[in-house]
Amino acid sequence: MLRVPPGQWLSAFHLPGALPGSLYDSGSGQFTGTPFAGLVLKPFVGFAAPSLEVAWTCVTLLFVAAIGLVAARALPDPVPRRTALLAAPVLVALMMVSLPVREAASPGQTAVLPVLLVLLAVFRVPAERPAGFLVGLAAALQPGLLLFAPLLWLTGRRAGARAAAVTFAGATALSWASLPRDSWTYWVQDVAGTGLGGAPDSLANQSLHGALLRLGLSGPGEIVLYVALAAAVVWTGMRRAARYARDGQVLLAAAITGCVAVAVSPAGWRHQLLWVLLAVAGKVGKRAADRTVWPVAVVLAMTLSADVLLPNLAVLAPVRDNVLLLTALAAACAVPFLPRSSPYWREPVPTAYGRPAAARWSRVPLMPFWRRVLSRPNLLLELLLIRVGYSLYSHIRAAAPTSRTLAESNGRLIHGMEKALGIDIEHAVNHAVVGAPPVKAFFNFYYTSFHFVVPLTILAALYWRRPGDYRWARASLGLATVLALVGFWLFPLAPPRLMPDLGFVDTVHGVQDLAHPQYGAMTAISNQYAAMPSLHFGWSLWCGVVIVVLAPRTWQKLLGALHPLITVCAIVATANHWVLDAVGGALVVTAGFGLVYVLSGPRGALARADVSLSMPRPRTPERVGSASPSGERTSA
C-alpha cells in the first residue's frame, strides 16, 4: 500500500471535503461504505490527505493487532499455557496475511473497525448500554452487523440490544440529514450498497445474492430465492450462535453471527469476511488428529487465492468462485462445533504413535522430535494439503529462471557430457519413433496420461489399506519433489525438443517455433526449462519402488518395475528429456527415501505396527445378557 502514489489514494472514491461530488459518483464508483462511514471519514481526510497512505496503513495494522489481542483473551476455558501465549501473535499474523485485511488496507475500507467495535462490546465492555452503543456504531458502518442486536437479546442482554438498535437508527438518521443524496443512493437506489464499488455479480461480492447472480439467476425469481435462503441462514445461524454463547463459547458465537451477517447482506465484500478467520475458535472432531482440519481449511481459504485451492476446471467454477462464501456458510450453519459439555472437549481420542526410532545420525536435530503416526490421517486434510502443495509446486516451478540463453547453454553442456559418456541416444531414438506411428502414438499417450494417475492411485490405495506405509510413501514423494524444485531453480535446462539445430521432433506438442523465445502457448502452461531433474521419470521411479516393496504378488511387482522403464523410454522418445535428466530424477527420489529413513527410521517398523493395528481383535464375550454354561441368561 505504501508503494501507491499519494495522489491515487483519493482518486478511487469521493470523500466529502476531499474531492467534489457524491460519495458514490459514477465517475469513481469505488467507495462501498455507508453514508455514515463517509461522514466519519470526512474530518480525517481534510488534514491527513498528504500522508493518508501512511496513517491509514498504520491505523489498520493497529486495529488488526487489537482484534488479535481481544480475541485471544476471549478463548473459552480451559486454555493450555502454550495456547494462551501463542494465540494472540499467531492470530495477528494470520490476519495480517489474510485476504480481508489485505483488501481492507485500501483507503475508504472500514471493515476492520466494525469487527473491533463488536469484539470490544462483547468482551471488554461490561455495561450493557455502552456495549450496545458500540454494536450500533459497527452496524452503522456495516449494516449487516445489526444482527448482533438479536444475539444480545437472545443471550439476555436486552438493554444492550435496544441500545444497539437506537444507536444504529440515530447514526443512519444523522447521515440522512447530512448527506441526503448519498443516503438515497445507498439505501434506496442501490439497496444497502448493492452494486456500489463493483458489479453485484463480481467475485468480490461473496454473499448469497452475489453467488446467485454468478450462477446466472436474475429477476424476481432470484430475489425470492435469495430472500428465502437468507432467512434460512439467519434462522439457523442465529440459533447456533445463541446456543454456543450460552455454552460459554462467546467468541465462536460472535464469529458465527459475523459470518451470517456477511453472507445474507446484499453486498458482502471480501474485506468484510474477517469473521471467518475468528471461527477457528471452535473445536471440531472427536479425534485429536481431526482437530486441525477445520483451522487448516479456514486458514487456507482465507489466505490463498481460489485457483490455488481448486483446479481450474469448469465443473468446479461455482465452488471456486465462492470459496469464502461457502466457508462462511459452513461456519454459520453446518460445521458441528463441539459443546463444552462434550467428553471430547478436554480429552479427544488420542493419536496412535509408533515407538520412537533410534537415531541414524547423532547430529540430526530433528530425530528426537519426529513422532511416527500410525493411524489413518484425515482425508479432507490430506486432500487440502496435496492440492495446495501441488499448486505451490506449480507456482514455484513456473517462477524458476526461464532464460533461453542459459537454458540452451546448459542443454549443450548436457549434450556434450552424454557424448563423452557415450549415452547420447536421444536423437536416434526420437527419429526411430517418428518413423513408427503406432509406437509414437503409444509413447505420446503414456507420456501425457500416466504422470499423475499412477502416483495418485498408489497414494489412494495406501491411504485406504496401509496408513502407516501411506505416510512413509507420501513423505518420500514430497521431499523428492522439493529437492527437484531446487534443481529447477539452479539449473534451467532446455530439453531436446527446444534445442535449435539439433533436429529433434516434438512428438507430443507438435512443431515448435524455435525462433520465438516463448515457444508458442506451451510456455503459458508451465516452465519449459524445468527439466533437470526429470520428475516424469522421478515420480514413475517412486511408483515402481513403492509397488515393488509393498505389492504382495510377483506380477504386481513386475508391473511396478515396468512403469519407470516405459516412462524413461517415453521421455527420451518424445524428445522431452535428456537421459541425464532421468538420472537426476533418480537421484532426488533416492534422496527422498533416504531422508525419510534418516528422520523416521526403517519402514519395516512402521509396517509391522500398521499391520498389528489393522488385524481384527478377538471377540470378547458380552457381559450384559450373556448366556451361562447351563443355558440360563445372566446379567452383569
Side-chain angles (χ1 to χ4, degrees):
M1 287 301 162
L2 297 181
R3 296 193 184 103
V4 178
Q8 295 182 10
W9 276 67
L10 298 179
S11 62
F13 57 92
H14 290 291
L15 288 177
L19 293 174
S22 168
L23 284 172
Y24 314 109
D25 194 314
S26 59
S28 59
Q30 297 300 313
F31 185 65
T32 60
T34 63
F36 180 75
L39 196 61
V40 171
L41 292 174
K42 179 179 179 179
F44 296 98
V45 175
F47 68 85
S51 58
L52 179 62
E53 67 274 16
V54 177
W56 195 280
T57 302
C58 292
V59 170
T60 300
L61 298 182
L62 287 175
F63 285 167
V64 172
I67 291 172
L69 293 174
V70 175
R73 298 191 63 179
L75 292 175
D77 294 329
V79 178
R81 178 177 176 82
R82 184 175 62 178
T83 302
L85 292 175
L86 297 178
V90 169
L91 182 57
V92 171
L94 290 176
M95 286 191 294
M96 291 295 186
V97 299
S98 66
L99 293 172
V101 171
R102 297 203 311 254
E103 295 196 1
S106 301
Q109 306 293 2
T110 58
V112 175
L113 178 59
V115 177
L116 179 59
L117 291 176
V118 170
L119 293 183
L120 290 174
V122 175
F123 298 108
R124 309 306 300 169
V125 178
E128 291 194 25
R129 286 185 174 82
F133 174 75
L134 294 180
V135 171
L137 284 181
L141 296 173
Q142 186 178 332
L145 297 184
L146 191 60
L147 283 175
F148 276 92
L151 178 64
L152 294 175
W153 185 277
L154 293 173
T155 54
R157 303 177 66 177
R158 300 191 173 184
R162 288 191 291 266
V166 171
T167 303
F168 170 77
T172 303
L174 178 63
S175 63
W176 271 94
S178 303
L179 304 170
R181 176 186 170 191
D182 291 327
S183 298
W184 176 268
T185 301
Y186 183 87
W187 291 108
V188 181
Q189 185 175 340
D190 298 270
V191 181
T194 306
L196 295 176
D201 60 347
S202 66
L203 295 180
N205 184 11
Q206 289 291 308
S207 69
L208 286 171
H209 181 49
L212 293 177
L213 293 176
R214 285 190 290 273
L215 290 176
L217 302 177
S218 61
E222 185 272 334
I223 298 297
V224 172
L225 181 58
Y226 159 65
V227 171
L229 291 176
V233 171
V234 170
W235 174 262
T236 305
M238 295 308 297
R239 284 169 58 89
R240 280 165 51 91
R243 182 169 69 250
Y244 287 118
R246 289 190 291 266
D247 187 55
Q249 302 185 62
V250 184
L251 179 59
L252 177 59
I256 290 176
T257 306
C259 291
V260 172
V262 178
V264 302
S265 298
W269 305 110
R270 284 182 299 207
H271 59 83
Q272 299 173 344
L273 278 166
L274 194 59
W275 297 104
V276 180
L277 196 57
L278 298 180
V280 297
K283 293 183 179 181
V284 184
K286 299 178 180 179
R287 300 191 308 164
D290 297 335
R291 288 291 170 86
T292 58
V293 178
W294 172 246
V296 169
V298 169
V299 170
L300 293 179
M302 298 299 292
T303 56
L304 301 179
S305 59
D307 60 341
V308 175
L309 298 174
L310 294 170
N312 190 20
L313 299 176
V315 69
L316 296 177
V319 179
R320 187 175 57 253
D321 294 344
N322 302 290
V323 167
L324 295 179
L325 170 63
L326 293 176
T327 308
L329 291 176
C333 304
V335 178
F337 298 108
L338 291 176
R340 298 179 68 189
S341 57
S342 170
Y344 302 103
W345 172 267
R346 292 174 177 266
E347 298 180 1
V349 177
T351 302
Y353 294 99
R355 293 182 179 180
R360 291 295 169 270
W361 295 338
S362 59
R363 296 185 179 181
V364 177
L366 293 177
M367 182 57 63
F369 309 101
W370 187 287
R371 296 198 296 175
R372 302 182 299 173
V373 182
L374 303 180
S375 59
R376 181 178 291 108
N378 184 280
L379 179 59
L380 177 59
L381 183 61
E382 287 296 300
L383 294 177
L384 281 173
L385 295 181
I386 288 175
R387 171 59 196 171
V388 172
Y390 179 73
S391 296
L392 294 178
Y393 156 77
S394 300
H395 281 76
I396 295 174
R397 172 181 166 132
T402 58
S403 170
R404 179 185 179 186
T405 303
L406 179 59
E408 291 180 356
S409 175
N410 290 335
R412 287 187 289 270
L413 175 63
I414 292 293
H415 192 219
M417 293 176 60
E418 291 188 352
K419 283 185 176 180
L421 296 173
I423 58 174
D424 56 327
I425 62 174
E426 294 89 355
H427 189 275
V429 173
N430 177 241
H431 280 263
V433 169
V434 171
V439 179
K440 170 186 171 183
F442 170 76
F443 281 131
N444 287 350
F445 174 77
Y446 207 92
Y447 179 84
T448 57
S449 302
F450 291 92
H451 182 46
F452 297 105
V453 173
V454 178
L456 291 177
T457 302
I458 292 174
L459 287 175
L462 292 180
Y463 176 87
W464 183 253
R465 302 285 296 180
R466 306 178 71 163
D469 284 328
Y470 166 80
R471 294 178 182 273
W472 163 77
R474 178 200 58 184
S476 60
L477 180 63
L479 290 172
T481 304
V482 171
L483 293 175
L485 288 175
V486 178
F488 299 157
W489 274 88
L490 298 181
F491 197 78
L493 174 65
R497 63 184 179 83
L498 296 184
M499 287 294 292
D501 304 325
L502 292 185
F504 287 97
V505 178
D506 188 345
T507 64
V508 176
H509 309 108
V511 179
Q512 298 291 309
D513 181 11
L514 298 182
H516 194 282
Q518 298 302 320
Y519 299 128
M522 286 307 301
T523 306
I525 299 176
S526 63
N527 183 357
Q528 300 300 291
Y529 296 140
M532 171 62 83
S534 169
L535 280 186
H536 247 91
F537 176 72
W539 285 4
S540 68
L541 179 62
W542 172 87
C543 296
V545 171
V546 172
I547 293 175
V548 169
V549 171
L550 300 179
R553 294 178 175 83
T554 304
W555 68 268
Q556 295 172 340
K557 296 179 183 292
L558 291 176
L559 282 179
L562 193 61
H563 177 53
L565 179 60
I566 298 177
T567 301
V568 72
C569 294
I571 64 175
V572 173
T574 59
N576 276 279
H577 284 285
W578 306 96
V579 172
L580 288 181
D581 294 349
V583 175
L587 289 177
V588 296
V589 170
T590 303
F593 282 115
L595 286 174
V596 173
Y597 179 84
V598 168
L599 295 174
S600 63
R603 186 206 63 83
L606 280 174
R608 289 191 295 272
D610 188 23
V611 170
S612 65
L613 283 177
S614 61
M615 289 180 62
R617 297 181 179 180
R619 294 178 60 87
T620 57
E622 298 182 2
R623 296 183 56 85
V624 179
S626 60
S628 64
S630 61
E632 298 178 356
R633 306 293 295 180
T634 62
S635 59

